Amino acid sequence: GENVEQHPSTLSVQEGDSAVIKCTYSDSASNYFPWYKQELGKGPQLIIDIRSNVGEKKDQRIAVTLNKTAKHFSLHITETQPEDSAVYFCAASDAAAGNTPLVFGKGTRLSVIA
Amino acid sequence: EPEVTQTPSHQVTQMGQEVILRCVPISNHLYFYWYRQILGQKVEFLVSFYNNEISEKSEIFDDQFSVERPDGSNFTLKIRSTKLEDSAMYFCAIRTAINYGYTFGSGTRLTVV
């Protein structure tokens, strides 16, 4: 089955700097890669996702890149703000293969220091 | 984006007792999931449910667990005889269609004492 590795486990950046979180996956059949932000005591909230037919997607300060050959994808947050502080999870699945569940990485705790 | 409401938000139960966690999606949906997250760990898949039956389950989802949609709207997770290691956040998730993203509920914190 799918295995998703995520690095780093913790990340501290100064406000205004960029943050990059990286994930690798093992199953070449995976074609859907979402990123979730989880704040304390809340459920995961989808912030951006990418499908395997594109290499990059951007939404304001957040971007995701995908390298299918190397089986890795990354989350980039620019101009970080204190409210970006949270745990971020990457995930992967074969979205077209019936009801295949998401497989999550272990998460990255991002701290943005004002 | 559809909302997903989970009740209760927090449940404390004695070891060996049965618990039922509820999920109420607001809008039309096809695919239902339960995930759990032990404190400080990653989100783990438990079970997926489609067309009123289980379509996939993980090794965590043993005979102590069951799911159902009793009234065509609520989606429930039952743990028959809780163990201490069942203490975790339990998240319901839905997808409206096969190519749509997942929406997670805010979770139920289960504490087994």
Side-chain angles (χ1 to χ4, degrees):
Chain A
E2 177 65 278
N3 182 51
V4 177
E5 299 287 338
Q6 183 172 348
H7 300 279
S9 55
T10 59
L11 179 61
S12 291
V13 298
Q14 292 288 331
E15 182 178 0
D17 288 350
S18 294
V20 180
I21 303 171
K22 299 182 179 181
C23 288
T24 61
Y25 62 99
S26 61
D27 189 350
S28 57
S30 289
N31 52 33
Y32 175 64
F33 307 94
W35 286 88
Y36 287 86
K37 176 183 182 181
Q38 187 178 30
E39 297 174 316
L40 193 63
K42 297 184 179 180
Q45 297 292 310
L46 179 69
I47 56 171
I48 195 168
D49 56 14
I50 191 168
R51 299 179 190 275
S52 59
N53 58 343
V54 297
E56 184 173 359
K57 184 177 178 180
K58 190 173 182 180
D59 182 4
Q60 299 183 344
R61 297 187 297 109
I62 295 172
V64 57
T65 58
L66 170 65
N67 183 327
K68 285 190 296 183
T69 303
K71 295 198 189 71
H72 65 69
F73 56 113
S74 301
L75 177 71
H76 304 252
I77 306 174
T78 58
E79 301 172 23
T80 53
Q81 301 166 2
E83 51 264 39
D84 293 329
S85 297
V87 179
Y88 291 81
F89 291 95
C90 62
S93 78
D94 181 357
N99 218 355
T100 307
L102 286 174
V103 176
F104 284 83
K106 290 187 176 181
T108 296
R109 181 173 299 279
L110 174 64
S111 299
V112 180
I113 303 164
Chain B
E1 188 169 308
E3 292 183 357
V4 182
T5 301
Q6 288 188 243
T7 58
S9 57
H10 191 189
Q11 172 111 31
V12 180
T13 189
Q14 295 278 340
M15 189 169 56
Q17 294 297 303
E18 175 184 285
V19 295
I20 298 176
L21 311 182
R22 291 182 171 81
C23 173
V24 184
I26 300 298
S27 63
N28 291 333
H29 36 261
L30 289 176
Y31 304 94
F32 305 82
Y33 307 83
W34 283 102
Y35 285 79
R36 80 169 185 191
Q37 185 181 32
I38 295 171
L39 186 63
Q41 299 186 22
K42 68 176 176 180
V43 180
E44 299 175 292
F45 168 72
L46 292 178
V47 65
S48 58
F49 192 83
Y50 169 70
N51 203 24
N52 290 320
E53 62 181 21
I54 291 173
S55 54
E56 192 164 342
K57 60 183 180 180
S58 72
E59 57 189 25
I60 302 170
F61 194 87
D62 61 23
D63 291 344
Q64 293 300 313
F65 292 86
S66 63
V67 290
E68 62 177 3
R69 288 186 70 202
D71 56 8
S73 177
N74 293 307
F75 179 49
T76 63
L77 174 70
K78 181 191 292 185
I79 309 175
R80 290 189 183 82
S81 179
T82 49
K83 304 185 289 288
L84 294 176
E85 53 265 39
D86 293 328
S87 296
M89 284 288 289
Y90 288 80
F91 294 106
C92 169
I94 61 105
R95 277 199 296 170
T96 304
I98 195 70
N99 287 323
Y100 279 56
Y102 295 68
T103 299
F104 282 81
S106 56
T108 293
R109 180 175 296 283
L110 177 65
T111 303
V112 182
V113 298

